[in-house]
Amino acid sequence: MPSTPPAIVAAPRDYFVDGPIGVYQKLRADGSVEKVIIYVAMRRGARSLYAFDVTTPTSPTLLWKKTNADLALLGQTWSEPRIARIRGNSNPVLVFGGGYDATAEDATAPGTTTMGNAIYILDAYSGSTLRTFATSRSVPADIALIDSDFDGYIDRAYAVDIGGGLWRLDFETALTNSPATWTMYQLADLSGGTTSPRKFFFGPDVIVTRAFAALMLGSGDREKPLLDTSHDHFFQIFDRSIAKGAPTPTPAAIVFGDLAASGTTSTTAGAGCYVTLATGEKVVNASTSIGGYSYFGTNRPSSAVSTPDSQSCSANLGIAKSYAMPLFCVTPTGSTLTGGGLPPTPVSGIVTIGSGENAKKVPFIIGAPNPKNSAIEGSRVTPSIQTPRNRIYWYQEGSR
């Protein structure tokens, strides 16, 4: 081992298509495929978005391309282009954040945002712009789309930016549902409660209840994983305006001072709560909620804990953790993941085990705290049913 580590010269990295891909598939009545379109974002590759018709996979065609020449506020396209049906529109729509402003955000201190500070809604077939909503800062995160009454149409959406902003969009009212009537307002300004910039790189996870919509989201500058002086949090925010359409009058934005620290018992009082992370610890993936818990992961650079060894030849990927936070506003439990690094977003679902009469559906979560301390370990979800269940009897006429 040399006494002095060799000099490292950084070189610009080449990027191409390294962004998320949205997919639209239309089926005929018999289940056969009628149309498939993929929407390709570029992330750091460019300020552009492509739509390809891949109905015939062996002969794809370019439907349209959008750049900042078409969408003036478009930044690096980081946000997943998400397909939605909105009542009043014959074609599906595409909803995505304006993107990332590398010039402003890659600097040591964030500068003035010049791009990405918008939310776009396009016609998914033609690419024509239906509405553009301006935000305070860039929006690289995915947009959370909500069908609050399960009628097959998206009526609400939530978005976050990298200035601590949380935004609500409304697409449907009792009277009309045209793009001109769509609205957006700032639900929360969470830039306070920290001495470092509050950045949201991942969209909120949303649970809709009869009394409120709970939004789970965590802050952290994932693009600066070695920053060891940040002060970030994980939030649960309660949006109590659950009727369709924007509330009148527009409520004041929730601020950090309106929130309480998570505790030992569940509560849905107030505007929400927060979990304070360790200095340098950042939320580095999106939250996933299932079975009464919200799951998320963090990374903390080792330099926030101890002075790095300049003579070491081993890689140091920091301290990675997986958390499980009971709903609602209960302090989470966590485990340190082997190997460190940036854990992927937890994935939940339901798998069928067995077949025939013995088949049963089992909910699972990948990325929860587990005995193996693995970021990709699967675990069974065992929801606790807190409300009493009543036995119901019925009699079918003619069954005798």
Side-chain angles (χ1 to χ4, degrees):
M1 180 183 298
S3 58
T4 302
I8 299 176
V9 179
R13 179 174 297 177
D14 293 327
Y15 293 94
F16 184 50
V17 178
D18 63 341
I21 296 177
V23 180
Y24 169 72
Q25 183 183 56
K26 182 178 181 181
L27 301 179
R28 299 185 181 91
D30 61 2
S32 61
V33 175
E34 179 178 333
K35 183 184 293 291
V36 180
I37 305 174
I38 62 172
Y39 303 91
V40 181
M42 302 295 289
R43 204 172 185 270
R44 288 190 183 267
R47 298 172 63 184
S48 55
L49 178 69
Y50 293 83
F52 295 98
D53 187 328
V54 294
T55 306
T56 304
T58 55
S59 58
T61 59
L62 174 66
L63 286 182
W64 48 260
K65 172 186 176 183
K66 297 295 179 181
T67 69
N68 54 296
D70 310 295
L71 308 172
L73 296 176
L74 190 67
Q76 294 178 349
T77 47
W78 290 31
S79 178
E80 178 187 335
R82 291 190 164 175
I83 296 291
R85 285 279 186 184
I86 298 180
R87 189 177 294 278
N89 278 66
S90 57
N91 292 342
V93 303
L94 205 62
V95 186
F96 58 97
Y100 187 68
D101 185 347
T103 301
E105 299 300 334
D106 285 351
T108 302
T112 302
T113 298
T114 61
M115 66 182 76
N117 50 327
I119 297 168
Y120 287 106
I121 306 169
L122 310 183
D123 184 290
Y125 288 170
S126 67
S128 60
T129 304
L130 300 176
R131 282 296 298 270
T132 301
F133 292 100
T135 57
S136 301
R137 301 287 296 188
S138 299
V139 183
D142 301 338
I143 311 299
L145 305 178
I146 306 299
D147 176 7
S148 63
D149 56 0
F150 306 102
D151 65 352
Y153 294 96
I154 298 301
D155 49 65
R156 197 189 321 162
Y158 295 98
V160 291
D161 63 34
I162 48 179
L166 173 60
W167 306 84
R168 168 172 162 163
L169 295 86
D170 287 276
F171 302 118
E172 191 173 328
T173 67
L175 299 177
T176 181
N177 305 302
S178 67
T181 64
W182 299 344
T183 60
M184 185 182 80
Y185 69 93
Q186 188 165 15
L187 177 63
D189 178 2
L190 302 175
S191 58
T194 179
T195 57
S196 57
R198 172 85 67 214
K199 296 186 178 184
F200 293 117
F201 279 88
F202 299 93
D205 181 29
V206 185
I207 296 178
V208 179
T209 75
R210 294 180 179 180
F212 56 82
L215 290 82
M216 279 63 68
L217 62 159
S219 69
D221 193 344
R222 178 169 173 160
E223 297 305 292
K224 299 185 181 69
L226 299 182
L227 184 64
D228 57 12
T229 57
S230 58
H231 297 87
D232 286 295
H233 298 76
F234 184 81
F235 298 92
Q236 290 186 354
I237 304 296
F238 302 139
D239 178 9
R240 301 187 185 277
S241 301
I242 57 175
K244 287 187 178 182
T248 303
T250 302
I254 297 168
V255 297
F256 188 86
D258 297 330
L259 308 177
S262 60
T264 56
T265 57
S266 176
T267 177
T268 58
C273 59
Y274 61 85
V275 177
T276 301
L277 302 178
T279 300
E281 186 178 12
K282 312 166 189 68
V283 176
V284 294
N285 57 28
S287 170
T288 298
S289 300
I290 186 174
Y293 288 82
S294 288
Y295 299 91
F296 62 96
T298 67
N299 180 273
R300 187 186 189 195
S302 298
S303 57
V305 182
S306 60
T307 302
D309 182 3
S310 61
Q311 305 299 312
S312 175
C313 290
S314 61
N316 191 333
L317 300 181
I319 302 169
K321 288 188 175 182
S322 173
Y323 286 95
M325 184 175 181
L327 300 174
F328 291 99
C329 292
V330 180
T331 301
T333 58
S335 63
T336 300
L337 301 175
T338 301
L342 306 183
T345 293
V347 176
S348 65
I350 298 177
V351 62
T352 301
I353 297 179
S355 60
E357 296 181 354
N358 297 322
K360 59 180 179 179
K361 297 184 180 298
V362 178
F364 69 91
I365 179 77
I366 298 175
N370 59 86
K372 295 183 179 180
N373 296 323
S374 168
I376 56 174
E377 178 70 12
S379 306
R380 178 175 294 194
V381 174
T382 54
S384 58
I385 301 175
Q386 298 178 353
T387 56
R389 291 184 291 178
N390 298 321
R391 181 171 296 177
I392 299 176
Y393 298 90
W394 71 91
Y395 167 73
Q396 183 175 342
E397 187 175 356
S399 61
R400 290 183 297 178

